[in-house]
Amino acid sequence: MTIWRRWRAAARKRDDRGPSGLSLLPWLLMGLGALSHLLGGDAPNPWIGGLGLLAFNSLYIAIVFRAFDPRCRETPLTWGLLIGLGVLTFGLAIGYGREWLLLFPLLGLGVGAVVRRGRLLPAITFPLVAAVGAVTFWRDGWDSIGIVYGTFISIMVTAAILALDETVRQLRATREELARAAVEKERLRFSRDLHDLLGHTLSVIVVKSEVVRRLAPRDLDAALAQVADIESVGRQALTEIREAVTGYREGSLATELDRARDALSSAGIEPVVRRSGPLLEPQTEALLSWVVRESATNAVRHSGASRCEIALSGAEDRVRLTVTDNGRGPSSGTPGSGLRGLRERVAAAGGTLDSGPAPRGGFRVTAELPVETSVQHRGEPTG
């Protein structure tokens, strides 16, 4: 069983590599007729014929092996060998005739292996077949019409099969590359979703836990209410993680704004939310929801702000979301992985995302996206 599995694995590797020059070597048996004619003493100048047959076999083997190497197939050396094989084949066929005419189909195999497609194939094939027909009729009359047909078929069939095999292997490689790209894209999507989901959720849980710790000695009922909120946030996080795993999570902007307002309030940051403009498509709302979530999470965790303003405004063709706090901003000048991931998502949707210090101090995140106009939505400031 082990030997069988090894043989099957080796066979699969051979299939992946495709055919090689070995697949055209058995056709050299067609030259046995010329060898028999030579050994039977019927050929004049047998030493010349023997050397010519040896040179033919050597050139044929070199050509077919180079034809299956993409780096060597169209090099000047390969073309030189092919031209030399053609000259030698015509010389032997003209000089000896009879069985030596069977070398023409072998020449056709070499031509088909090297010239597989394009305009060069018919430009070489038809003049070559015409020349083969002229030599064949001169040496053997109409009895050798099969040689001409065999030469034509050997060129065209070899070129078609090898070109098709090359195309199939290219398509297979492309399919594997697309599959790898799809896996990488899904892995990147899940890592971004997980970062955004857990970063926001854990930040809210930490903030509310600190509130519980401060309230528990003074107001047990208020502390228990915060504990209930922590439980609700945790359950919601589990639901969102399941949705992120399956890839069907669609964020609701209104819900995300409410969560951001609650998280900011729990952290002692005054939330101010302003929304105006047209109703948005679900995909646009989902993407802006991620921006609101990440920006609110950063404000809770890093800003040390006392006020955070979330402003959403839209025109007929674009919508703008701005999240500004009056805190100290991130500790480093470079944005974190969350903002980098959001910038890539927004760019993929045809929008832009900028982040940095606000003109009057603090930190600002601005996202702009193209939108399709819908029913006008008039929002009022809330805080």
Side-chain angles (χ1 to χ4, degrees), residues 37 44 58 82 110 217:
H37 183 244
S58 301
L82 188 61

Side-chain angles (χ1 to χ4, degrees), residues 297-328:
T297 301
N298 288 340
V300 169
R301 295 171 60 185
H302 308 300
S303 70
S306 60
R307 189 174 186 271
C308 181
E309 179 178 337
I310 303 174
L312 178 67
S313 60
E316 292 184 355
D317 58 344
R318 295 188 73 82
V319 62
R320 169 181 287 189
L321 172 67
T322 304
V323 182
T324 308
D325 63 62
N326 61 352
R328 59 179 176 269

Side-chain angles (χ1 to χ4, degrees), residues 28 31 48 56 66 97 102 125 135 159-160 185 187 189 195 213 245 266 269 276 292 299 338 368 373-374:
L28 280 173
I48 296 177
F56 177 90
R66 293 179 68 84
L102 290 173
T125 300
V135 173
K185 182 179 179 180
R187 183 182 299 147
R189 179 200 67 80
H195 171 273
R213 179 171 53 81
V245 170
S266 299
I269 302 174
S276 62
V292 171
E368 289 191 7
T373 58
S374 181

